[in-house]
Amino acid sequence: MRARSGLDPGSVWAQRLGQLERRLRYQGLAGRSTNEVLQLYSAHGQQQKLQRSSVVTQLHGAIKRLKQDLKSLRSFALELSKDFQRQSKTYLYQVLTAVQGIQLQNEAMQRHFLSGVEKRKNWVRRLFPTLPVCWHLRAVLLLEKVFQIKAFDLEQSLQEVTERYEKEKQRRRALHNTLVELRGNIRVHCRIRPLLPFDTAAGHSVSQDGQRNSSEKVAYAADDETVLVKCSRPSHASINKTFQFERVYSPSESQDTVFADVAPLLTSLLDGYNVCIMAYGQTGSGKTYTMLGPQLEENFAYCIEDASELGIIPRATQEVFRLISEKPPGSYWVEVSVVEVYNNEIFDLLAKDSCGKVFGVKRDVVTTREGKSDVPLLTYETVENASEFLHLVNKGLQLRVRHPTLVHAHSSRSHLVVTLTITTIVSGDNFGTSWEDEQTSQRLNKEVSCTFPQKMRENKSTSSSRASSPAQIEATEKMKQVKTRLQLVDLAGSECVGMSGVTGAALRETSFINRSLSALADVLGAIAEQRSHVPYRNSKLTHLLQDSVGGDAKLLVMLCISPDQKYLTESMQSLGFGTRARQVQRGQVKKKSFPVPSKAK
């Protein structure tokens, strides 16, 4: 068999051994792979168990949180239901109480009506004993109609009497104003500002019982001509003092109402009279608000977005240009100057440097040969409308000196004087006593259009002194110039040093402010007593306002006071100043004379 197979026995055994080795190797690998598979399977099972346990743990935590939320929601729902029940009971009780009250009122009204009817029936029985009973009610209804007609007639008569009273009141006021003009008296208006948040801030006083007295109101407008002040001292009975003025404004009255009483003076401006309006009062009493309106804290310029809040100065300018627009074109032009009196020095707030930048320049005030006050080299800017004027005033306001105090965060430390000079061009040949009639105005317009200086129109924004201003251009033989001035003055507020808490430079400013206001009071006192010498030169302020205060202008003083108890002393001082100002009789204010042609012409 070995011969037939042809194989060597050694090679056959080698093949068998190789097969056995391979089989054993494969069995080892298979066993090892089986073990690894089992290990992997067990590891995967453990991982799944861990994942299931973590998921179960998370689910348990979520279930616990849900249970807690359900408990809180249940308690909240119980509280809501209890509150709802309580509120429903309360509302039900209120409704029942209201229904019972209404029922009681109805019953009382019915009883009153029935008793009234019975009383009227008894009254009818006594008056008409022979009248049948069935007619008693008809007689009562007839009498009620008669009484209603009489009541209606009485109401109408009362309304008529009230209207007549108002007309007589206006007539009396007009006559009083005429008397004031004839005597040359100073018109004094008083404005009481409302209580403001800073009244209860720093600087408040505390009473013995620990309560604040700072917000207590002691100044009231009793009527439109009387201020009532409640003066009280510790352990003393309160005393009511009254002050009479031409007009008194309550805290609720608007800027429109204030200006409505000022506007008639502006008509006098174009009729040939000088006009001066000044605001007087303590710091924080509303002077700047009354004269300018609300101010922006960023640049201290007044805001003109809300027209209803504008003060006297912007409104007066708008009214002046409105009146000028009704006149012949070219017959008027307007110049404006803005100065401040700071530490008894006059500063020109419209002066410009070589680069055209506005900066304050110190000026001086002098008295001319004619006895008038004048500021040499003062800058006058020509304006053609109210917008240009407001732009210039805003520039000047940004240079005005201010300093915070305990009383007012933006206290003005200087007196501001804004002057509008109106130059009227009139014809010497054609102008007569009725210079405002239509035909004369037309001829005047033609002459002005031919002779009015073109240089004025081209150089309207050039700063110049009064000597070189367009107002002083030499008139032609046919034209004459008449100048009137409107001075708008925002005085710095008087201060009590102990209350304002100022020190250093601010204390020096306060000293100058109080001295200048005292000098103004001395000037008014000297005029009232008709002294031979009036001390205008004791202060730059009074020297600057000499023409206005001394009788060359229609003067209106706007007193501004605070109603707060802690400012009682300052308010009484302001009211006393206004009372003394009313007593000044300066003589009739002179009107600027317009040229009138002679009879030969």
Side-chain angles (χ1 to χ4, degrees), residues 511-526:
S511 175
F512 278 109
I513 291 172
N514 291 338
R515 273 189 281 177
S516 61
L517 295 176
S518 177
L520 179 60
D522 293 340
V523 166
L524 293 178

Side-chain angles (χ1 to χ4, degrees), residues 292-309:
L292 292 170
Q295 293 183 288
L296 302 177
E297 296 183 2
E298 293 82 6
N299 56 4
F300 301 115
Y302 57 91
C303 177
I304 58 176
E305 294 180 357
D306 189 0
S308 63
E309 294 294 321

Side-chain angles (χ1 to χ4, degrees), residues 48 71 133 226 229 317 433 484 533:
Q48 287 183 345
K71 287 181 181 180
V133 177
T226 308
V229 181
T317 309
T433 55
T484 54
H533 173 68

